Amino acid sequence: MILFYLFLLINIQAIFAFILPTQHIMTSSNCNKQPLSPTRRTSSIAGNNNGSSDKKEKYNRVDLWKQRNQKLTTLTTSLELSSSSSNTIQEESKAIYTFGLLTDIQYAPVPDGFSYGGNPRYYQHAKVAAEHAAKHFEEEQVSCVVNLGDIVDGKCSDVDGCHLGHESVDDVLNALSSYTTGKILHTYGNHELYNLSRKDLGEKLSIPFVNEGNDELVGYYHHLLHNQKEDCNNKGLKFIVIDSYDICLLGRCETTSTKRQQAHEILSLNNPNYDSNTPGTENSPEGLEGVSRRFVGFNGAIDTVQLEWLDQSLQSAKEKGEQVIICSHQPIHPDSTWPTCLIWNYEEVLDIIRKYSDTVIASFSGHAHKGGYTRDEISGVHFRTFEAVLESPENIRTYAMVDLFEDRLVVRGEGDCVSDVYDLDHLNIESNAQI
């Protein structure tokens, strides 16, 4: 009898394996549907969680990020099928929160072009894609939408001799206006600063800029989603939006800004290409190696006041039992992006985040258009850089739906946005990271 049931179980597995196609973790025409049995990311190391340090490979470059996802294109379901009923597999529990996310729209009313690295850019289609995303967000009634910055491109500052930055931002906001269910949480990037002042950005994007004196505006804030599920212990999901262009050259007064002077000193010390009297030299990483390539003028740093605010905000969230997702335009973890896109003082930000490994779910960013991911080995926090709307051609619209469950975070990628699933096991461990 035992042999009979064993034979039956094996054949049931084979039947399901044949009926249920393997899922492509990258882009698909139906990728807004949640995967039935997704692989969960528990490490920054693809396919190697055995703790063998001599075999570990850090995925801190975009090409390796792609290789990592190619290894994850086939998902095995037979083991889970053998231990779960078909009803359990088909009826996935409802997410506690769902929110929309997009980044680097970089719309401009100009013909398509290329980046300095030769990547195609679809400036006008980006607005169409943003409008499509907003309608999808509204259809799914997501709790809020996160925009990780660069809503328009620097080219808007000179279109046939005209400065169309303000009009272009309004055009994108109009494209996003189909979403009315919740709030759109905006951060800003270098391309906004090529077009508008921080004061204007605050008014248009509802960023509550803080005046730290001498008109030094800094745009950091938080937003809390309250849990509506009675059968869940979640105390709320808090988005902490940080301003990675706190200390920078962009948009700061050349004669009166202390933060600009700090940026000048940082670049002078770390980038030999930089000549304050020669425009353009600040953006050259030529000759710099590794993470030193981050010291370019289209990046920035976080000043002491904001770092203290981040620490206090995370402490408050921890005391209240809230879970946190940190949002910024620039990536924070060096293994989640190209070195040229990192926050200048990323180490200081990481040190703070690692103190709250039982509170911070993930850190989401844009800026590096091809995306990237790592899981911090010290804290277990997930660091994800999202793919840009701008670099997807006309038939592709790139954005994401993100679902938070009690035990995992699910990214449902659309277009060129990579789908992924992240375990939340680090939230159950009391924070005791050694910094």
Side-chain angles (χ1 to χ4, degrees):
M1 182 63 70
I2 295 175
L3 291 175
F4 171 76
Y5 281 113
L6 181 61
F7 175 81
L8 182 61
L9 177 61
I10 293 172
N11 279 277
I12 289 174
Q13 291 181 12
I15 290 170
F16 273 109
F18 178 77
I19 292 174
L20 298 177
T22 56
Q23 179 173 346
H24 200 290
I25 201 71
M26 296 287 284
T27 306
S28 71
S29 59
N30 197 29
C31 55
N32 62 316
K33 301 292 181 66
Q34 183 181 317
L36 291 177
S37 55
T39 299
R40 298 184 184 177
R41 306 297 174 268
T42 59
S43 171
S44 61
I45 313 304
N48 178 24
N49 296 321
N50 59 13
S52 175
S53 60
D54 59 332
K55 293 182 179 179
K56 286 185 177 181
E57 182 178 13
K58 292 289 185 67
Y59 284 76
N60 60 351
R61 293 184 57 185
V62 173
D63 51 353
L64 295 180
W65 157 247
K66 290 180 179 178
Q67 290 175 22
R68 170 186 179 278
N69 281 282
Q70 288 170 359
K71 294 178 182 179
L72 297 168
T73 55
T74 303
L75 303 178
T76 304
T77 61
S78 59
L79 290 176
E80 294 186 11
L81 284 165
S82 66
S83 60
S84 306
S85 68
S86 59
N87 287 337
T88 301
I89 294 169
Q90 292 173 2
E91 296 179 7
E92 184 61 73
S93 59
K94 187 178 180 181
I96 305 170
Y97 309 99
T98 296
F99 60 93
L101 185 147
L102 71 174
T103 188
D104 295 271
I105 300 168
Q106 286 185 223
Y107 163 71
V110 298
D112 294 343
F114 296 87
S115 68
Y116 288 110
N119 294 316
R121 292 186 164 181
Y122 305 93
Y123 296 105
Q124 297 193 50
H125 169 64
K127 185 178 69 172
V128 175
E131 183 174 13
H132 175 88
K135 290 178 179 178
H136 193 177
F137 297 150
E138 182 65 17
E139 287 172 4
E140 291 220 5
Q141 297 284 287
V142 300
S143 299
C144 70
V145 172
V146 176
N147 163 39
L148 292 170
D150 279 0
I151 195 171
V152 293
D153 192 86
K155 290 183 179 293
C156 296
S157 63
D158 184 9
V159 180
D160 296 329
C162 299
H163 195 302
L164 299 182
H166 285 264
E167 292 87 343
S168 297
V169 170
D170 291 341
D171 288 344
V172 178
L173 292 177
N174 184 59
L176 295 173
S177 65
S178 298
Y179 174 71
T180 60
T181 300
K183 186 174 182 179
I184 300 181
L185 309 177
H186 293 280
T187 185
Y188 72 98
N190 50 310
H191 281 268
E192 279 95 352
L193 293 176
Y194 298 145
N195 288 280
L196 278 73
S197 69
R198 287 174 174 80
K199 181 177 182 296
D200 290 334
L201 285 174
E203 294 173 356
K204 287 183 178 292
L205 303 181
S206 299
I207 298 175
F209 279 92
V210 177
N211 191 335
E212 294 187 359
N214 198 29
D215 290 329
E216 299 273 43
L217 300 180
V218 190
Y220 50 87
Y221 62 100
H222 51 70
H223 178 74
L224 180 67
L225 295 180
H226 295 281
N227 176 27
Q228 303 298 322
K229 291 184 70 174
E230 295 181 358
D231 59 342
C232 177
N233 294 322
N234 189 286
K235 303 299 183 183
L237 175 62
K238 177 170 285 185
F239 295 90
I240 294 183
V241 180
I242 61 177
D243 184 346
S244 59
Y245 290 91
D246 184 344
I247 297 172
C248 74
L249 297 178
L250 302 170
R252 299 290 187 199
C253 180
E254 294 186 15
T255 57
T256 64
S257 173
T258 301
K259 293 180 183 292
R260 192 183 196 284
Q261 180 60 33
Q262 288 177 269
H264 167 73
E265 292 171 359
I266 289 171
L267 289 177
S268 297
L269 181 64
N270 294 283
N271 189 339
N273 303 304
Y274 173 58
D275 179 355
S276 60
N277 297 315
T278 308
T281 57
E282 72 278 5
N283 289 327
S284 173
E286 188 70 28
L288 300 177
E289 297 184 359
V291 293
S292 293
R293 293 177 66 84
R294 71 189 187 277
F295 293 112
V296 286
F298 51 78
N299 292 333
I302 296 178
D303 209 348
T304 304
V305 174
Q306 188 183 173
L307 288 172
E308 292 174 351
W309 171 86
L310 174 61
D311 197 332
Q312 293 166 3
S313 297
L314 289 174
Q315 179 62 38
S316 175
K318 178 176 180 175
E319 292 171 355
K320 295 175 182 177
E322 299 163 349
Q323 295 177 344
V324 170
I325 293 177
I326 295 174
C327 304
S328 61
H329 183 63
Q330 288 180 246
I332 296 170
H333 201 295
D335 292 345
S336 70
T337 185
W338 294 105
T340 48
C341 294
L342 273 174
I343 292 175
W344 289 339
N345 61 335
Y346 72 87
E347 301 102 326
E348 291 183 275
V349 186
L350 269 179
D351 284 349
I352 294 174
I353 292 173
R354 285 168 174 162
K355 289 169 55 180
Y356 301 97
S357 59
D358 56 350
T359 301
V360 181
I361 295 173
S363 170
F364 289 167
S365 59
H367 198 41
H369 290 186
K370 296 303 179 183
Y373 167 80
T374 194
R375 190 173 197 184
D376 183 49
E377 294 181 355
I378 294 176
S379 64
V381 173
H382 302 278
F383 289 81
R384 172 69 187 267
T385 304
F386 281 85
E387 295 77 5
V389 175
L390 172 69
E391 295 190 2
S392 297
E394 289 189 10
N395 60 329
I396 298 175
R397 293 148 182 175
T398 296
Y399 58 95
M401 301 281 186
V402 183
D403 302 310
L404 176 63
F405 297 86
E406 290 193 54
D407 64 339
R408 67 201 184 279
L409 191 72
V410 178
V411 175
R412 293 181 278 142
E414 293 281 351
D416 288 327
C417 181
V418 175
S419 296
D420 219 337
V421 183
Y422 308 127
D423 266 321
L424 305 184
D425 50 2
H426 64 288
L427 298 179
N428 300 321
I429 302 173
E430 184 67 22
S431 226
N432 59 359
Q434 299 298 315
I435 305 300

